[in-house]
Amino acid sequence: MSEPLKLGLDALVDVLKAAGEPTRLRLLALLDGGDLTVTDLTEILGQSQPRISRHLKLLGEAELIERYQEGAWAYFRLKQDGKAAMLVRALLKHVSENDPTILRDGERLSQVKRQRAERAQAYFSRNAAEWDELRRLHAADEEVDAAVIRLLGSQPIDSLLDLGTGTGRILELLSGLYRRATGVDASRDMLSVARANLDKSRITKATVRHADILNLPFEGQDFDLVTIHQVLHFFDQPEIAIAEAARMLRPGGRLVVIDLAPHTLEYLRDEHAHVRLGFSHQAMSDWLRKAGLDVEQVVDLHPGQQSGQGLTVTVWLARDPRRLMASQTSEGAEPTFAGRV
């Protein structure tokens, strides 16, 4: 049995005061189901925006929710860490899902999420042909996913950061391993797709944010796994993104890079905005080591015979060595290279 949470008397009273009001408890229950805007919450609860904003402000001051900006929109979600947030999550488990007010809120939340999914699907449909063409060029997504899972193993992940999250594929793929996750992307349209996919998969422990992966809005050393999936070939200086990813890692944390091996398909530059035509083992390993990481494994995934002139996908697994120094038997060990899997 887990140890009970211990808060000081004043802190406990503050949490109970913040949560112990009907509208604020309803807000907490809704935000437990994912990220929502003030407009979303106003529509669901049928209350004025100033009233909802005031309640959100009180919940934020009690450190029960967190706010982040995405362009003109402000999103809110239940705070992931901290004793106060853990206590509120425990309280929410005792809210009856059959309560008429909670049922009505849930129905309206489902409607908001359906509208979100329809907008995302419209964007996805407009670009589906382009994505399908690229997907046909390289190893099957399922094969790449399986390789990533094998490399990571079953070790639990406390916190995951997915850079260039796109449709949120990595957040969905690894949802059984992490306790909390954040995906960032520079495209607000893609973030809409990712949110819709997380809603569809009922993944509430992951959030997505608008951010520049070359200048991340997070404190360093906050994640024990960072992933960069098919992103670096869009950058003129991918080593900057790698260095920023390394800065995010806790001691002993891991970085997974998934990208294309060197190729000669020049048309990808003009038609799909690829800046780099893939990466060699040597170039990527040099960047990873320069960022202070040890390269542990490199796996090449070749396209099937039916792909014709296809593209090889390479997966690099690297680790921050600071926790591993004591257990190393030799310095400067070469990474393990695996062939096709």
Side-chain angles (χ1 to χ4, degrees):
M1 184 175 179
S2 59
E3 290 293 321
L5 290 169
K6 300 291 186 179
L7 281 83
L9 184 61
D10 290 343
L12 182 57
V13 170
D14 287 344
V15 171
L16 295 176
K17 279 183 178 179
E21 192 278 337
T23 295
R24 290 198 289 274
L25 188 59
R26 291 167 69 189
L27 287 169
L28 290 169
L30 289 167
L31 294 174
D32 190 33
D35 303 12
L36 296 168
T37 66
V38 173
T39 301
D40 294 333
L41 294 167
T42 299
E43 182 178 339
I44 294 168
L45 270 65
Q47 299 184 18
S48 69
Q49 183 166 326
R51 179 178 173 83
I52 294 296
S53 295
R54 182 172 63 84
H55 284 305
L56 291 171
K57 182 174 184 293
L58 292 171
L59 292 172
E61 290 173 349
E63 297 189 347
L64 302 182
I65 65 172
E66 51 192 3
R67 175 188 186 277
Y68 64 91
Q69 197 75 23
E70 187 176 301
W73 297 97
Y75 281 86
F76 296 84
R77 73 187 316 259
L78 205 60
K79 200 170 179 65
Q80 298 293 298
D81 297 307
K83 290 183 178 180
M86 292 175 66
L87 176 59
V88 163
R89 288 184 183 278
L91 289 173
L92 290 174
K93 291 180 181 178
H94 294 280
V95 176
S96 173
E97 61 272 13
N98 295 319
D99 179 271
T101 301
I102 295 297
L103 279 173
R104 187 168 60 251
D105 288 350
E107 290 168 358
R108 292 174 178 171
L109 175 61
S110 296
Q111 183 177 356
V112 166
K113 289 188 173 183
R114 280 196 299 272
Q115 292 169 349
R116 177 190 290 178
E118 288 168 2
R119 291 193 297 269
Q121 184 58 47
Y123 169 77
F124 194 87
S125 297
R126 290 195 301 271
N127 295 275
E130 176 182 328
W131 292 330
D132 285 344
E133 179 187 347
L134 289 175
R135 191 175 295 117
R136 284 194 296 269
L137 287 174
H138 57 67
D141 290 336
E142 294 76 13
E143 187 178 0
V144 176
D145 292 349
V148 171
I149 291 293
R150 281 196 295 272
L151 285 176
L152 290 176
S154 59
Q155 178 182 338
I157 300 165
D158 178 65
S159 55
L160 163 68
L161 177 61
D162 183 33
L163 301 182
T165 196
T167 63
R169 183 178 183 86
I170 292 294
L171 299 178
E172 292 185 85
L173 175 67
L174 303 181
S175 62
L177 292 177
Y178 59 75
R179 182 181 66 84
R180 64 179 176 92
T182 302
V184 301
D185 204 285
S187 167
R188 293 188 175 91
D189 286 325
M190 292 307 296
L191 291 174
S192 297
V193 174
R195 284 195 185 95
N197 287 338
L198 292 174
D199 288 343
K200 183 178 179 181
S201 299
R202 300 183 182 276
I203 298 172
T204 60
K205 57 186 179 178
T207 185
V208 294
R209 295 184 56 177
H210 182 263
D212 177 4
I213 72 171
L214 302 181
N215 185 22
L216 293 166
F218 307 115
E219 294 294 328
Q221 302 186 35
D222 194 34
F223 299 91
D224 54 359
L225 176 65
V226 177
T227 53
I228 312 177
H229 183 210
Q230 296 288 12
V231 172
L232 293 181
H233 56 255
F234 292 108
F235 288 92
D236 183 54
Q237 295 180 291
E239 65 271 26
I240 297 177
I242 291 172
E244 186 70 349
R247 185 176 71 85
M248 294 294 106
L249 287 175
R250 294 170 178 167
R254 295 177 292 174
L255 171 63
V256 173
V257 177
I258 305 151
D259 219 298
L260 301 175
H263 63 85
T264 58
L265 301 186
E266 287 285 345
Y267 79 92
L268 292 180
R269 295 188 193 273
D270 296 327
E271 296 184 21
H272 298 285
H274 288 207
V275 176
R276 295 295 192 107
L277 297 184
F279 304 98
S280 68
H281 288 179
Q282 186 64 54
M284 186 65 69
S285 296
D286 286 347
W287 289 331
L288 291 167
R289 291 191 178 105
K290 186 177 180 181
L293 305 179
D294 287 346
V295 182
E296 292 193 337
Q297 292 194 65
V298 182
V299 176
D300 286 328
L301 302 164
H302 304 289
Q305 294 299 320
Q306 72 278 7
S307 300
Q309 188 183 11
L311 303 176
T312 294
V313 173
T314 305
V315 184
W316 291 266
L317 174 65
R319 187 186 294 269
D320 184 312
R322 284 173 291 176
R323 268 188 201 157
L324 301 179
M325 296 302 291
S327 61
Q328 292 290 333
T329 57
S330 62
E331 294 186 2
E334 288 298 314
T336 301
F337 289 87
R340 181 175 178 175
V341 296

